[in-house]
């Protein structure tokens, strides 16, 4: 929160306390017998409201005690409850419903016990009871509304992050597809042309014949084309993850997801292709858990097995049901393609005990 927002809130709280104090003192001024003690009690009870954000329970206690002392001493009208009403509303808004109800009861008991007449006291007490009930209800309604707004904002942020990650994943997958197509088609053809030109140049020189300039140009152009193609493939294959699985877990925790990470085995650097695949698998599994598992706990286990195999397990205890397996979307399909391309295996399905689990096994040897 910026300093300007804090200053505005502090100013608003001070203005609220001043307005409540002015109303209370203005009404008290027209009551016979109002003395300096009464005005002091009103001023202190009203002034305490300026701290209602920082210490709602302390403000509730102070306003209730001061307000009750005032009504016991001066026997004022219903407007004397304004400071206590404000404190009760604030306490209910931050979740202290029991304290708010107790404070309301204490103030009403003090008001009723010192009232001037039975009928008048009953009417005023009923009015004040309605006011206090409204203060508690509106406080709870405000609390629920603020929680709804926070949840809406979090969902919007999560949706935006998910869209960005999905777009980046699709772009990376498309680059890899293009790289594979170029490698499978052009690399082979250019290599054959370069090889044939090299053989022709070698035979011509072996026979003592003059090598045709066009043949030398073909040989040179073939070599240059191979170098440029390799550079282009390196760019297209530049799908390096922006972090590690541990960093993904920290980001998920910061977003409100309960995640535990366990790493077993002899941790060591992985081949680039396996490292990228492991990162993307954990990323996609955590994204799916955040979107579909609800308020669930997620466990991430990465095992650097001794048999040359990396095992990744991501499981949650969410609401997934084995009887209703989800339809694989772009994320799960891309995950499976990555694992298959490396010669690994993937299982992604609801668990028998509830929730969803992703288990990937990736060979840690270099792939060609």
């Amino acid at each position: 929160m910026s300093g300007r927002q804090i200053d505005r809130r502090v100013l608003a709280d001070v203005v609220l306390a001043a307005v409540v104090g002015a109303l209370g003192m203005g009404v008290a001024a027209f009551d016979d017998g109002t003395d300096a003690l009464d005005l002091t009690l009103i001023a202190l009870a009203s002034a305490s409201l300026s701290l209602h954000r920082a210490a709602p329970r302390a403000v509730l206690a102070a306003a209730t005690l001061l307000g009750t002392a005032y009504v016991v001493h001066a026997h004022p009208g219903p407007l004397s409850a304004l400071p206590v009403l404000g404190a009760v509303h604030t306490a209910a808004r931050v979740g202290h419903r029991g304290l708010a109800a107790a404070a309301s009861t204490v103030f009403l008991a003090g008001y009723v016990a010192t009232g001037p007449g039975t009928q008048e006291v009953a009417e005023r007490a009923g009015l004040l009871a309605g006011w206090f009930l409204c203060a508690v209800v509106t406080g709870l309604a405000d609390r629920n509304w603020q929680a709804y707004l926070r949840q809406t904002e979090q969902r919007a942020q999560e949706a935006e992050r998910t869209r960005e990650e999905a777009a980046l994943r699709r772009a990376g997958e498309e680059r890899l597809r293009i790289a594979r197509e170029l490698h499978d088609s052009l690399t082979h053809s250019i290599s054959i042309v370069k090889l044939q030109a090299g053989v022709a140049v070698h035979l011509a020189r072996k026979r003592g014949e003059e090598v045709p300039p066009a043949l030398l140009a073909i040989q040179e152009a073939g070599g240059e084309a191979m170098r440029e193609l390799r550079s282009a493939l390196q760019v297209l294959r530049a799908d390096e993850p922006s972090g590690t699985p541990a960093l993904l877990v920290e980001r998920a925790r910061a977003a409100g997801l309960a995640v535990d990470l366990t790493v077993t085995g002899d941790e060591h650097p992985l081949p680039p292709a396996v490292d990228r695949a492991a990162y993307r698998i954990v990323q996609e599994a955590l994204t799916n858990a955040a979107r579909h598992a609800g308020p669930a706990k997620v466990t991430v286990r990465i095992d650097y097995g001794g048999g040359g195999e990396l095992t990744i397990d991501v499981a949650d205890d969410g609401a997934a049901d084995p009887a209703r397996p989800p339809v694989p979307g772009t994320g799960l399909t891309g995950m499976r393609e990555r694992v298959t391309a490396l010669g690994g295996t993937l299982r992604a399905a609801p668990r028998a005990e509830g929730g969803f689990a992703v288990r990937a096994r990736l060979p840690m040897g270099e792939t060609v």
Side-chain angles (χ1 to χ4, degrees):
M1 185 181 297
S2 65
R4 180 173 296 181
Q5 288 177 320
I6 294 176
D7 291 341
R8 287 179 178 175
R9 288 192 171 188
V10 171
L11 180 60
D13 295 343
V14 172
V15 171
L16 171 65
V19 170
V20 172
L23 288 173
M25 290 185 177
V27 173
F30 291 97
D31 290 339
D32 296 334
T34 300
D35 56 19
L37 177 59
D38 297 329
L39 297 177
T40 301
L41 292 173
I42 294 172
L44 292 176
S46 302
S48 67
L49 293 178
S50 61
L51 301 175
H52 72 89
R53 295 183 195 273
R57 287 183 294 184
V59 169
L60 178 64
T64 302
L65 292 176
L66 293 168
T68 304
Y70 170 54
V71 298
V72 169
H73 182 263
H75 317 297
L79 286 178
S80 60
L82 283 179
V84 187
L85 282 170
V88 166
H89 171 82
T90 300
R93 188 181 62 185
V94 297
H96 304 306
R97 293 174 294 181
L99 292 177
S104 303
T105 302
V106 169
F107 182 85
L108 288 172
Y111 191 88
V112 171
T114 59
T118 303
Q119 182 177 359
E120 185 178 2
V121 168
E123 292 176 354
R124 290 185 176 183
L127 176 63
L128 286 177
W131 287 3
F132 279 109
L133 179 60
C134 289
V136 173
V137 171
T138 55
L140 294 176
D142 187 25
R143 182 169 183 260
N144 293 335
W145 174 250
Q146 294 299 327
Y148 170 76
L149 291 179
R150 286 193 298 270
Q151 291 176 358
T152 302
E153 183 178 359
Q154 290 174 355
R155 285 196 295 268
Q157 292 175 351
E158 178 64 22
E160 181 65 24
R161 184 183 66 82
T162 302
R163 283 195 297 269
E164 292 177 356
E165 290 179 353
L168 290 174
R169 184 177 61 250
R170 286 194 296 268
E173 292 170 353
E174 183 64 16
R175 287 198 306 270
L176 292 177
R177 187 189 67 80
I178 294 173
R180 286 195 296 268
E181 293 294 332
L182 290 176
H183 181 274
D184 295 342
S185 58
L186 294 182
T187 303
H188 177 72
S189 299
I190 295 175
S191 297
I192 294 298
V193 171
K194 183 175 180 293
L195 177 63
Q196 293 295 335
V199 170
V201 169
H202 174 72
L203 291 177
R205 286 174 176 169
K206 186 175 181 180
R207 290 193 297 263
E209 300 174 356
E210 182 180 359
V211 180
L215 195 58
L216 293 174
I218 291 173
Q219 185 183 33
E220 183 178 356
E224 181 65 23
M226 283 296 296
R227 288 190 293 273
E228 292 182 357
L229 182 58
R230 289 194 188 98
S231 299
L233 291 177
Q234 288 177 356
V235 173
L236 289 172
R237 286 171 174 165
D239 189 27
E240 296 297 331
S242 57
T244 63
L247 181 59
L248 288 174
V249 170
E250 291 300 325
R251 291 176 180 171
R253 288 172 180 166
L257 191 65
V259 188
D260 287 333
L261 173 64
T262 304
V263 179
T264 58
D266 183 16
E267 187 174 357
H268 57 273
L270 298 171
V274 178
D275 192 34
R276 287 194 296 268
Y279 179 89
R280 296 306 185 194
I281 290 169
V282 175
Q283 183 183 47
E284 181 63 30
L286 289 177
T287 299
N288 288 339
R291 293 175 60 187
H292 305 299
K297 183 177 180 180
V298 184
T299 57
V300 179
R301 295 184 177 89
I302 301 177
D303 178 30
Y304 291 78
E309 192 175 61
L310 179 72
T311 303
I312 302 170
D313 286 297
V314 183
D316 64 69
D317 56 359
D321 185 356
R324 297 191 301 273
V327 178
T330 304
L332 288 178
T333 302
M335 189 189 302
R336 191 174 300 279
E337 290 175 352
R338 285 179 182 275
V339 173
T340 303
L342 294 173
T345 60
L346 176 74
R347 184 182 184 279
R351 303 191 302 170
E353 62 271 28
F356 197 84
V358 174
R359 184 180 182 88
R361 296 180 179 271
L362 301 173
M364 288 188 285
E366 280 282 7
T367 59
V368 179

